[in-house]
PDB file of all heavy atoms in Angstrom:
ATOM      1  N   LYS A   1       0.841  -1.200  -0.015  1.00 96.00           N
ATOM      2  CA  LYS A   1       0.024  -0.010  -0.037  1.00 96.00           C
ATOM      3  C   LYS A   1       0.911   1.280   0.015  1.00 96.00           C
ATOM      4  O   LYS A   1       0.575   2.235  -0.737  1.00 96.00           O
ATOM      5  CB  LYS A   1      -0.883  -0.018   1.173  1.00 96.00           C
ATOM      6  CG  LYS A   1      -1.819   1.137   1.313  1.00 96.00           C
ATOM      7  CD  LYS A   1      -2.681   1.124   2.540  1.00 96.00           C
ATOM      8  CE  LYS A   1      -3.482   2.393   2.690  1.00 96.00           C
ATOM      9  NZ  LYS A   1      -4.236   2.430   3.961  1.00 96.00           N
ATOM     10  N   LEU A   2       1.953   1.254   0.786  1.00 97.00           N
ATOM     11  CA  LEU A   2       2.838   2.358   0.864  1.00 97.00           C
ATOM     12  C   LEU A   2       3.489   2.611  -0.490  1.00 97.00           C
ATOM     13  O   LEU A   2       3.647   3.809  -0.933  1.00 97.00           O
ATOM     14  CB  LEU A   2       3.940   2.172   1.925  1.00 97.00           C
ATOM     15  CG  LEU A   2       4.834   3.306   2.222  1.00 97.00           C
ATOM     16  CD1 LEU A   2       4.065   4.492   2.711  1.00 97.00           C
ATOM     17  CD2 LEU A   2       5.843   2.895   3.248  1.00 97.00           C
ATOM     18  N   ARG A   3       3.905   1.515  -1.164  1.00 97.00           N
ATOM     19  CA  ARG A   3       4.521   1.671  -2.487  1.00 97.00           C
ATOM     20  C   ARG A   3       3.544   2.285  -3.521  1.00 97.00           C
ATOM     21  O   ARG A   3       3.897   3.148  -4.342  1.00 97.00           O
ATOM     22  CB  ARG A   3       5.014   0.323  -3.001  1.00 97.00           C
ATOM     23  CG  ARG A   3       6.242  -0.155  -2.378  1.00 97.00           C
ATOM     24  CD  ARG A   3       6.693  -1.460  -3.005  1.00 97.00           C
ATOM     25  NE  ARG A   3       7.944  -1.876  -2.406  1.00 97.00           N
ATOM     26  CZ  ARG A   3       8.343  -3.103  -2.440  1.00 97.00           C
ATOM     27  NH1 ARG A   3       7.729  -4.042  -3.031  1.00 97.00           N
ATOM     28  NH2 ARG A   3       9.529  -3.437  -1.848  1.00 97.00           N
ATOM     29  N   LYS A   4       2.345   1.913  -3.415  1.00 97.00           N
ATOM     30  CA  LYS A   4       1.318   2.455  -4.314  1.00 97.00           C
ATOM     31  C   LYS A   4       1.109   3.914  -4.069  1.00 97.00           C
ATOM     32  O   LYS A   4       0.975   4.759  -4.987  1.00 97.00           O
ATOM     33  CB  LYS A   4      -0.014   1.652  -4.128  1.00 97.00           C
ATOM     34  CG  LYS A   4      -1.115   2.161  -4.998  1.00 97.00           C
ATOM     35  CD  LYS A   4      -2.387   1.346  -4.784  1.00 97.00           C
ATOM     36  CE  LYS A   4      -3.529   1.867  -5.632  1.00 97.00           C
ATOM     37  NZ  LYS A   4      -4.803   1.113  -5.352  1.00 97.00           N
ATOM     38  N   GLU A   5       1.006   4.291  -2.822  1.00 97.00           N
ATOM     39  CA  GLU A   5       0.893   5.736  -2.434  1.00 97.00           C
ATOM     40  C   GLU A   5       2.081   6.558  -2.905  1.00 97.00           C
ATOM     41  O   GLU A   5       1.932   7.677  -3.327  1.00 97.00           O
ATOM     42  CB  GLU A   5       0.694   5.821  -0.902  1.00 97.00           C
ATOM     43  CG  GLU A   5      -0.721   5.389  -0.460  1.00 97.00           C
ATOM     44  CD  GLU A   5      -0.807   5.447   1.052  1.00 97.00           C
ATOM     45  OE1 GLU A   5       0.148   5.858   1.764  1.00 97.00           O
ATOM     46  OE2 GLU A   5      -1.876   4.996   1.613  1.00 97.00           O
ATOM     47  N   LEU A   6       3.249   5.995  -2.770  1.00 97.00           N
ATOM     48  CA  LEU A   6       4.503   6.672  -3.161  1.00 97.00           C
ATOM     49  C   LEU A   6       4.487   6.887  -4.685  1.00 97.00           C
ATOM     50  O   LEU A   6       4.884   7.971  -5.185  1.00 97.00           O
ATOM     51  CB  LEU A   6       5.717   5.924  -2.735  1.00 97.00           C
ATOM     52  CG  LEU A   6       7.078   6.559  -3.023  1.00 97.00           C
ATOM     53  CD1 LEU A   6       7.168   7.904  -2.375  1.00 97.00           C
ATOM     54  CD2 LEU A   6       8.171   5.687  -2.549  1.00 97.00           C
ATOM     55  N   LYS A   7       4.077   5.834  -5.426  1.00 97.00           N
ATOM     56  CA  LYS A   7       3.972   6.015  -6.941  1.00 97.00           C
ATOM     57  C   LYS A   7       2.977   7.106  -7.224  1.00 97.00           C
ATOM     58  O   LYS A   7       3.296   7.936  -8.128  1.00 97.00           O
ATOM     59  CB  LYS A   7       3.596   4.710  -7.552  1.00 97.00           C
ATOM     60  CG  LYS A   7       3.553   4.782  -9.097  1.00 97.00           C
ATOM     61  CD  LYS A   7       3.197   3.511  -9.658  1.00 97.00           C
ATOM     62  CE  LYS A   7       3.189   3.515 -11.205  1.00 97.00           C
ATOM     63  NZ  LYS A   7       2.782   4.709 -11.843  1.00 97.00           N
ATOM     64  N   GLN A   8       1.801   7.136  -6.618  1.00 97.00           N
ATOM     65  CA  GLN A   8       0.841   8.189  -6.865  1.00 97.00           C
ATOM     66  C   GLN A   8       1.379   9.534  -6.547  1.00 97.00           C
ATOM     67  O   GLN A   8       1.194  10.539  -7.254  1.00 97.00           O
ATOM     68  CB  GLN A   8      -0.456   7.949  -6.085  1.00 97.00           C
ATOM     69  CG  GLN A   8      -1.247   6.793  -6.540  1.00 97.00           C
ATOM     70  CD  GLN A   8      -2.408   6.491  -5.648  1.00 97.00           C
ATOM     71  OE1 GLN A   8      -2.511   7.009  -4.527  1.00 97.00           O
ATOM     72  NE2 GLN A   8      -3.271   5.626  -6.094  1.00 97.00           N
ATOM     73  N   PHE A   9       2.132   9.667  -5.466  1.00 97.00           N
ATOM     74  CA  PHE A   9       2.800  10.975  -5.028  1.00 97.00           C
ATOM     75  C   PHE A   9       3.810  11.377  -6.099  1.00 97.00           C
ATOM     76  O   PHE A   9       3.789  12.564  -6.497  1.00 97.00           O
ATOM     77  CB  PHE A   9       3.434  10.804  -3.674  1.00 97.00           C
ATOM     78  CG  PHE A   9       4.178  12.034  -3.246  1.00 97.00           C
ATOM     79  CD1 PHE A   9       3.527  13.140  -2.818  1.00 97.00           C
ATOM     80  CD2 PHE A   9       5.492  12.118  -3.307  1.00 97.00           C
ATOM     81  CE1 PHE A   9       4.153  14.273  -2.400  1.00 97.00           C
ATOM     82  CE2 PHE A   9       6.250  13.212  -2.906  1.00 97.00           C
ATOM     83  CZ  PHE A   9       5.563  14.282  -2.499  1.00 97.00           C
ATOM     84  N   ARG A  10       4.603  10.457  -6.533  1.00 97.00           N
ATOM     85  CA  ARG A  10       5.610  10.778  -7.639  1.00 97.00           C
ATOM     86  C   ARG A  10       4.904  11.253  -8.894  1.00 97.00           C
ATOM     87  O   ARG A  10       5.379  12.241  -9.521  1.00 97.00           O
ATOM     88  CB  ARG A  10       6.507   9.614  -7.851  1.00 97.00           C
ATOM     89  CG  ARG A  10       7.808   9.582  -7.104  1.00 97.00           C
ATOM     90  CD  ARG A  10       8.778   8.621  -7.670  1.00 97.00           C
ATOM     91  NE  ARG A  10       8.814   7.560  -6.696  1.00 97.00           N
ATOM     92  CZ  ARG A  10       8.963   6.276  -6.906  1.00 97.00           C
ATOM     93  NH1 ARG A  10       9.006   5.855  -8.174  1.00 97.00           N
ATOM     94  NH2 ARG A  10       9.026   5.420  -5.956  1.00 97.00           N
ATOM     95  N   ASP A  11       3.840  10.560  -9.266  1.00 97.00           N
ATOM     96  CA  ASP A  11       3.184  10.931 -10.542  1.00 97.00           C
ATOM     97  C   ASP A  11       2.533  12.281 -10.355  1.00 97.00           C
ATOM     98  O   ASP A  11       2.617  13.135 -11.218  1.00 97.00           O
ATOM     99  CB  ASP A  11       2.094   9.901 -10.808  1.00 97.00           C
ATOM    100  CG  ASP A  11       2.693   8.593 -11.263  1.00 97.00           C
ATOM    101  OD1 ASP A  11       3.847   8.525 -11.570  1.00 97.00           O
ATOM    102  OD2 ASP A  11       1.911   7.634 -11.291  1.00 97.00           O
ATOM    103  N   ASP A  12       1.963  12.605  -9.238  1.00 97.00           N
ATOM    104  CA  ASP A  12       1.365  13.961  -8.973  1.00 97.00           C
ATOM    105  C   ASP A  12       2.440  14.979  -8.938  1.00 97.00           C
ATOM    106  O   ASP A  12       2.201  16.058  -9.450  1.00 97.00           O
ATOM    107  CB  ASP A  12       0.561  13.903  -7.650  1.00 97.00           C
ATOM    108  CG  ASP A  12      -0.155  15.173  -7.312  1.00 97.00           C
ATOM    109  OD1 ASP A  12      -0.867  15.657  -8.303  1.00 97.00           O
ATOM    110  OD2 ASP A  12       0.040  15.783  -6.247  1.00 97.00           O
ATOM    111  N   LEU A  13       3.531  14.710  -8.344  1.00 97.00           N
ATOM    112  CA  LEU A  13       4.652  15.724  -8.269  1.00 97.00           C
ATOM    113  C   LEU A  13       5.163  16.014  -9.620  1.00 97.00           C
ATOM    114  O   LEU A  13       5.419  17.171 -10.022  1.00 97.00           O
ATOM    115  CB  LEU A  13       5.771  15.176  -7.384  1.00 97.00           C
ATOM    116  CG  LEU A  13       6.884  16.153  -7.034  1.00 97.00           C
ATOM    117  CD1 LEU A  13       6.311  17.342  -6.285  1.00 97.00           C
ATOM    118  CD2 LEU A  13       7.919  15.445  -6.296  1.00 97.00           C
ATOM    119  N   THR A  14       5.312  14.964 -10.484  1.00 97.00           N
ATOM    120  CA  THR A  14       5.808  15.187 -11.875  1.00 97.00           C
ATOM    121  C   THR A  14       4.780  16.016 -12.673  1.00 97.00           C
ATOM    122  O   THR A  14       5.175  16.958 -13.400  1.00 97.00           O
ATOM    123  CB  THR A  14       5.955  13.813 -12.534  1.00 97.00           C
ATOM    124  OG1 THR A  14       6.895  13.075 -11.784  1.00 97.00           O
ATOM    125  CG2 THR A  14       6.485  13.994 -13.939  1.00 97.00           C
ATOM    126  N   ARG A  15       3.435  15.699 -12.484  1.00 97.00           N
ATOM    127  CA  ARG A  15       2.441  16.485 -13.230  1.00 97.00           C
ATOM    128  C   ARG A  15       2.413  17.948 -12.772  1.00 97.00           C
ATOM    129  O   ARG A  15       2.382  18.839 -13.584  1.00 97.00           O
ATOM    130  CB  ARG A  15       1.144  15.807 -12.850  1.00 97.00           C
ATOM    131  CG  ARG A  15      -0.019  16.308 -13.718  1.00 97.00           C
ATOM    132  CD  ARG A  15      -1.328  15.532 -13.572  1.00 97.00           C
ATOM    133  NE  ARG A  15      -1.675  15.025 -12.269  1.00 97.00           N
ATOM    134  CZ  ARG A  15      -1.458  13.806 -11.822  1.00 97.00           C
ATOM    135  NH1 ARG A  15      -0.977  12.881 -12.626  1.00 97.00           N
ATOM    136  NH2 ARG A  15      -1.748  13.420 -10.575  1.00 97.00           N
ATOM    137  N   ARG A  16       2.627  18.160 -11.474  1.00 97.00           N
ATOM    138  CA  ARG A  16       2.656  19.584 -10.966  1.00 97.00           C
ATOM    139  C   ARG A  16       3.861  20.298 -11.450  1.00 97.00           C
ATOM    140  O   ARG A  16       3.747  21.537 -11.831  1.00 97.00           O
ATOM    141  CB  ARG A  16       2.611  19.571  -9.468  1.00 97.00           C
ATOM    142  CG  ARG A  16       1.317  19.203  -8.841  1.00 97.00           C
ATOM    143  CD  ARG A  16       1.319  19.301  -7.403  1.00 97.00           C
ATOM    144  NE  ARG A  16       0.128  18.889  -6.744  1.00 97.00           N
ATOM    145  CZ  ARG A  16      -0.224  19.163  -5.497  1.00 97.00           C
ATOM    146  NH1 ARG A  16       0.527  19.870  -4.750  1.00 97.00           N
ATOM    147  NH2 ARG A  16      -1.390  18.721  -5.019  1.00 97.00           N
ATOM    148  N   HIS A  17       4.963  19.592 -11.459  1.00 97.00           N
ATOM    149  CA  HIS A  17       6.227  20.256 -11.952  1.00 97.00           C
ATOM    150  C   HIS A  17       6.047  20.635 -13.411  1.00 97.00           C
ATOM    151  O   HIS A  17       6.466  21.724 -13.810  1.00 97.00           O
ATOM    152  CB  HIS A  17       7.433  19.329 -11.741  1.00 97.00           C
ATOM    153  CG  HIS A  17       8.694  19.840 -12.128  1.00 97.00           C
ATOM    154  ND1 HIS A  17       9.352  20.827 -11.488  1.00 97.00           N
ATOM    155  CD2 HIS A  17       9.454  19.534 -13.245  1.00 97.00           C
ATOM    156  CE1 HIS A  17      10.451  21.140 -12.123  1.00 97.00           C
ATOM    157  NE2 HIS A  17      10.586  20.333 -13.169  1.00 97.00           N
ATOM    158  N   HIS A  18       5.522  19.713 -14.193  1.00 96.00           N
ATOM    159  CA  HIS A  18       5.296  20.020 -15.615  1.00 96.00           C
ATOM    160  C   HIS A  18       4.371  21.249 -15.788  1.00 96.00           C
ATOM    161  O   HIS A  18       4.703  22.137 -16.646  1.00 96.00           O
ATOM    162  CB  HIS A  18       4.762  18.777 -16.313  1.00 96.00           C
ATOM    163  CG  HIS A  18       4.599  18.948 -17.762  1.00 96.00           C
ATOM    164  ND1 HIS A  18       5.583  19.025 -18.678  1.00 96.00           N
ATOM    165  CD2 HIS A  18       3.402  19.091 -18.580  1.00 96.00           C
ATOM    166  CE1 HIS A  18       5.072  19.201 -19.835  1.00 96.00           C
ATOM    167  NE2 HIS A  18       3.783  19.196 -19.799  1.00 96.00           N
ATOM    168  N   THR A  19       3.317  21.259 -15.070  1.00 95.00           N
ATOM    169  CA  THR A  19       2.350  22.400 -15.130  1.00 95.00           C
ATOM    170  C   THR A  19       2.980  23.699 -14.781  1.00 95.00           C
ATOM    171  O   THR A  19       2.779  24.702 -15.378  1.00 95.00           O
ATOM    172  CB  THR A  19       1.105  22.096 -14.206  1.00 95.00           C
ATOM    173  OG1 THR A  19       0.520  20.851 -14.624  1.00 95.00           O
ATOM    174  CG2 THR A  19       0.080  23.252 -14.319  1.00 95.00           C
ATOM    175  N   MET A  20       3.888  23.680 -13.708  1.00 95.00           N
ATOM    176  CA  MET A  20       4.520  24.839 -13.212  1.00 95.00           C
ATOM    177  C   MET A  20       5.501  25.396 -14.285  1.00 95.00           C
ATOM    178  O   MET A  20       5.675  26.531 -14.562  1.00 95.00           O
ATOM    179  CB  MET A  20       5.248  24.613 -11.937  1.00 95.00           C
ATOM    180  CG  MET A  20       5.802  25.899 -11.336  1.00 95.00           C
ATOM    181  SD  MET A  20       6.624  25.689  -9.705  1.00 95.00           S
ATOM    182  CE  MET A  20       5.216  24.931  -8.743  1.00 95.00           C
ATOM    183  N   GLN A  21       6.205  24.427 -14.916  1.00 94.00           N
ATOM    184  CA  GLN A  21       7.185  24.783 -15.969  1.00 94.00           C
ATOM    185  C   GLN A  21       6.472  25.416 -17.179  1.00 94.00           C
ATOM    186  O   GLN A  21       6.930  26.433 -17.688  1.00 94.00           O
ATOM    187  CB  GLN A  21       7.937  23.535 -16.453  1.00 94.00           C
ATOM    188  CG  GLN A  21       8.947  22.990 -15.448  1.00 94.00           C
ATOM    189  CD  GLN A  21      10.147  23.972 -15.255  1.00 94.00           C
ATOM    190  OE1 GLN A  21      10.501  24.652 -16.132  1.00 94.00           O
ATOM    191  NE2 GLN A  21      10.561  24.085 -14.002  1.00 94.00           N
ATOM    192  N   LYS A  22       5.298  24.907 -17.554  1.00 93.00           N
ATOM    193  CA  LYS A  22       4.542  25.498 -18.583  1.00 93.00           C
ATOM    194  C   LYS A  22       4.061  26.935 -18.248  1.00 93.00           C
ATOM    195  O   LYS A  22       4.149  27.827 -19.118  1.00 93.00           O
ATOM    196  CB  LYS A  22       3.358  24.626 -18.974  1.00 93.00           C
ATOM    197  CG  LYS A  22       3.722  23.396 -19.787  1.00 93.00           C
ATOM    198  CD  LYS A  22       2.533  22.478 -20.024  1.00 93.00           C
ATOM    199  CE  LYS A  22       1.445  23.143 -20.798  1.00 93.00           C
ATOM    200  NZ  LYS A  22       0.317  22.165 -21.085  1.00 93.00           N
ATOM    201  N   ALA A  23       3.618  27.091 -17.061  1.00 92.00           N
ATOM    202  CA  ALA A  23       3.143  28.435 -16.509  1.00 92.00           C
ATOM    203  C   ALA A  23       4.367  29.378 -16.569  1.00 92.00           C
ATOM    204  O   ALA A  23       4.191  30.569 -16.941  1.00 92.00           O
ATOM    205  CB  ALA A  23       2.532  28.269 -15.201  1.00 92.00           C
ATOM    206  N   MET A  24       5.530  28.985 -16.147  1.00 89.00           N
ATOM    207  CA  MET A  24       6.721  29.854 -16.157  1.00 89.00           C
ATOM    208  C   MET A  24       7.055  30.227 -17.581  1.00 89.00           C
ATOM    209  O   MET A  24       7.431  31.444 -17.867  1.00 89.00           O
ATOM    210  CB  MET A  24       7.914  29.131 -15.459  1.00 89.00           C
ATOM    211  CG  MET A  24       7.755  29.101 -13.952  1.00 89.00           C
ATOM    212  SD  MET A  24       9.016  28.107 -13.073  1.00 89.00           S
ATOM    213  CE  MET A  24      10.480  28.629 -13.840  1.00 89.00           C
ATOM    214  N   GLN A  25       6.952  29.290 -18.514  1.00 87.00           N
ATOM    215  CA  GLN A  25       7.309  29.653 -19.920  1.00 87.00           C
ATOM    216  C   GLN A  25       6.291  30.626 -20.451  1.00 87.00           C
ATOM    217  O   GLN A  25       6.672  31.558 -21.221  1.00 87.00           O
ATOM    218  CB  GLN A  25       7.186  28.347 -20.723  1.00 87.00           C
ATOM    219  CG  GLN A  25       8.399  27.462 -20.546  1.00 87.00           C
ATOM    220  CD  GLN A  25       8.394  26.188 -21.366  1.00 87.00           C
ATOM    221  OE1 GLN A  25       7.297  25.868 -21.958  1.00 87.00           O
ATOM    222  NE2 GLN A  25       9.433  25.407 -21.268  1.00 87.00           N
ATOM    223  N   ARG A  26       5.057  30.495 -20.073  1.00 88.00           N
ATOM    224  CA  ARG A  26       4.002  31.509 -20.513  1.00 88.00           C
ATOM    225  C   ARG A  26       4.280  32.864 -19.946  1.00 88.00           C
ATOM    226  O   ARG A  26       4.158  33.907 -20.677  1.00 88.00           O
ATOM    227  CB  ARG A  26       2.570  31.058 -20.045  1.00 88.00           C
ATOM    228  CG  ARG A  26       2.064  29.937 -20.946  1.00 88.00           C
ATOM    229  CD  ARG A  26       0.611  29.605 -20.473  1.00 88.00           C
ATOM    230  NE  ARG A  26       0.327  28.279 -20.925  1.00 88.00           N
ATOM    231  CZ  ARG A  26      -0.300  27.364 -20.160  1.00 88.00           C
ATOM    232  NH1 ARG A  26      -0.597  27.679 -18.873  1.00 88.00           N
ATOM    233  NH2 ARG A  26      -0.490  26.176 -20.580  1.00 88.00           N
ATOM    234  N   VAL A  27       4.676  32.960 -18.728  1.00 85.00           N
ATOM    235  CA  VAL A  27       4.981  34.261 -18.085  1.00 85.00           C
ATOM    236  C   VAL A  27       6.179  34.891 -18.770  1.00 85.00           C
ATOM    237  O   VAL A  27       6.179  36.102 -19.096  1.00 85.00           O
ATOM    238  CB  VAL A  27       5.204  34.083 -16.558  1.00 85.00           C
ATOM    239  CG1 VAL A  27       5.805  35.413 -15.983  1.00 85.00           C
ATOM    240  CG2 VAL A  27       3.936  33.752 -15.840  1.00 85.00           C
ATOM    241  N   ILE A  28       7.261  34.097 -18.952  1.00 81.00           N
ATOM    242  CA  ILE A  28       8.408  34.617 -19.598  1.00 81.00           C
ATOM    243  C   ILE A  28       8.085  35.113 -21.087  1.00 81.00           C
ATOM    244  O   ILE A  28       8.522  36.190 -21.498  1.00 81.00           O
ATOM    245  CB  ILE A  28       9.514  33.567 -19.639  1.00 81.00           C
ATOM    246  CG1 ILE A  28      10.054  33.382 -18.245  1.00 81.00           C
ATOM    247  CG2 ILE A  28      10.618  33.915 -20.549  1.00 81.00           C
ATOM    248  CD1 ILE A  28      10.952  32.157 -18.101  1.00 81.00           C
ATOM    249  N   ALA A  29       7.236  34.280 -21.745  1.00 82.00           N
ATOM    250  CA  ALA A  29       6.912  34.675 -23.100  1.00 82.00           C
ATOM    251  C   ALA A  29       6.021  35.947 -23.119  1.00 82.00           C
ATOM    252  O   ALA A  29       6.110  36.725 -24.001  1.00 82.00           O
ATOM    253  CB  ALA A  29       6.167  33.547 -23.781  1.00 82.00           C
ATOM    254  N   SER A  30       5.205  36.115 -22.109  1.00 83.00           N
ATOM    255  CA  SER A  30       4.318  37.268 -22.118  1.00 83.00           C
ATOM    256  C   SER A  30       5.059  38.567 -21.897  1.00 83.00           C
ATOM    257  O   SER A  30       4.675  39.644 -22.249  1.00 83.00           O
ATOM    258  CB  SER A  30       3.219  37.132 -21.041  1.00 83.00           C
ATOM    259  OG  SER A  30       3.807  37.260 -19.725  1.00 83.00           O
ATOM    260  N   TYR A  31       6.233  38.529 -21.213  1.00 80.00           N
ATOM    261  CA  TYR A  31       7.066  39.767 -21.010  1.00 80.00           C
ATOM    262  C   TYR A  31       7.943  40.060 -22.192  1.00 80.00           C
ATOM    263  O   TYR A  31       8.535  41.154 -22.233  1.00 80.00           O
ATOM    264  CB  TYR A  31       7.867  39.655 -19.759  1.00 80.00           C
ATOM    265  CG  TYR A  31       7.098  39.853 -18.475  1.00 80.00           C
ATOM    266  CD1 TYR A  31       6.885  38.752 -17.597  1.00 80.00           C
ATOM    267  CD2 TYR A  31       6.528  41.067 -18.181  1.00 80.00           C
ATOM    268  CE1 TYR A  31       6.143  38.952 -16.455  1.00 80.00           C
ATOM    269  CE2 TYR A  31       5.838  41.248 -17.020  1.00 80.00           C
ATOM    270  CZ  TYR A  31       5.627  40.171 -16.098  1.00 80.00           C
ATOM    271  OH  TYR A  31       4.909  40.369 -15.043  1.00 80.00           O
ATOM    272  N   GLY A  32       8.092  39.093 -23.082  1.00 73.00           N
ATOM    273  CA  GLY A  32       8.940  39.317 -24.243  1.00 73.00           C
ATOM    274  C   GLY A  32      10.378  39.476 -23.930  1.00 73.00           C
ATOM    275  O   GLY A  32      11.110  40.137 -24.631  1.00 73.00           O
ATOM    276  N   ILE A  33      10.850  38.737 -22.890  1.00 70.00           N
ATOM    277  CA  ILE A  33      12.278  38.721 -22.524  1.00 70.00           C
ATOM    278  C   ILE A  33      12.847  37.366 -22.733  1.00 70.00           C
ATOM    279  O   ILE A  33      12.121  36.377 -22.868  1.00 70.00           O
ATOM    280  CB  ILE A  33      12.484  39.232 -21.082  1.00 70.00           C
ATOM    281  CG1 ILE A  33      11.733  38.253 -20.110  1.00 70.00           C
ATOM    282  CG2 ILE A  33      12.029  40.601 -20.820  1.00 70.00           C
ATOM    283  CD1 ILE A  33      12.033  38.459 -18.620  1.00 70.00           C
ATOM    284  N   ASP A  34      14.158  37.353 -22.766  1.00 68.00           N
ATOM    285  CA  ASP A  34      14.866  36.052 -22.900  1.00 68.00           C
ATOM    286  C   ASP A  34      14.735  35.166 -21.702  1.00 68.00           C
ATOM    287  O   ASP A  34      14.761  35.756 -20.593  1.00 68.00           O
ATOM    288  CB  ASP A  34      16.372  36.314 -23.321  1.00 68.00           C
ATOM    289  CG  ASP A  34      16.446  36.939 -24.664  1.00 68.00           C
ATOM    290  OD1 ASP A  34      15.581  36.739 -25.540  1.00 68.00           O
ATOM    291  OD2 ASP A  34      17.503  37.580 -24.866  1.00 68.00           O
ATOM    292  N   ASP A  35      14.758  33.921 -21.948  1.00 66.00           N
ATOM    293  CA  ASP A  35      14.701  32.957 -20.811  1.00 66.00           C
ATOM    294  C   ASP A  35      16.032  32.954 -20.090  1.00 66.00           C
ATOM    295  O   ASP A  35      17.073  32.711 -20.718  1.00 66.00           O
ATOM    296  CB  ASP A  35      14.378  31.551 -21.377  1.00 66.00           C
ATOM    297  CG  ASP A  35      14.152  30.520 -20.291  1.00 66.00           C
ATOM    298  OD1 ASP A  35      14.260  30.946 -19.055  1.00 66.00           O
ATOM    299  OD2 ASP A  35      13.863  29.410 -20.620  1.00 66.00           O
TER     300      ASP A  35
END
């Protein structure tokens, strides 16, 4: 059960990280500055 919960946590963390990276790219693009 703990292994299953850990896998779900990792998947959720990966998904959140990806979403945050996309949001950061949008913010950088909206200011028209270099990354």
Side-chain angles (χ1 to χ4, degrees):
K1 181 181 175 186
L2 186 61
R3 283 183 180 160
K4 182 179 176 183
E5 289 175 2
L6 184 59
K7 183 181 180 327
Q8 289 174 348
F9 176 75
R10 264 193 251 142
D11 292 344
D12 184 49
L13 188 62
T14 301
R15 190 171 39 257
R16 286 182 185 197
H17 181 72
H18 181 71
T19 303
M20 188 178 301
Q21 289 293 323
K22 284 175 63 176
M24 286 173 44
Q25 287 176 353
R26 285 187 201 129
V27 168
I28 290 170
S30 71
Y31 284 113
I33 59 174
D34 293 332
D35 186 1

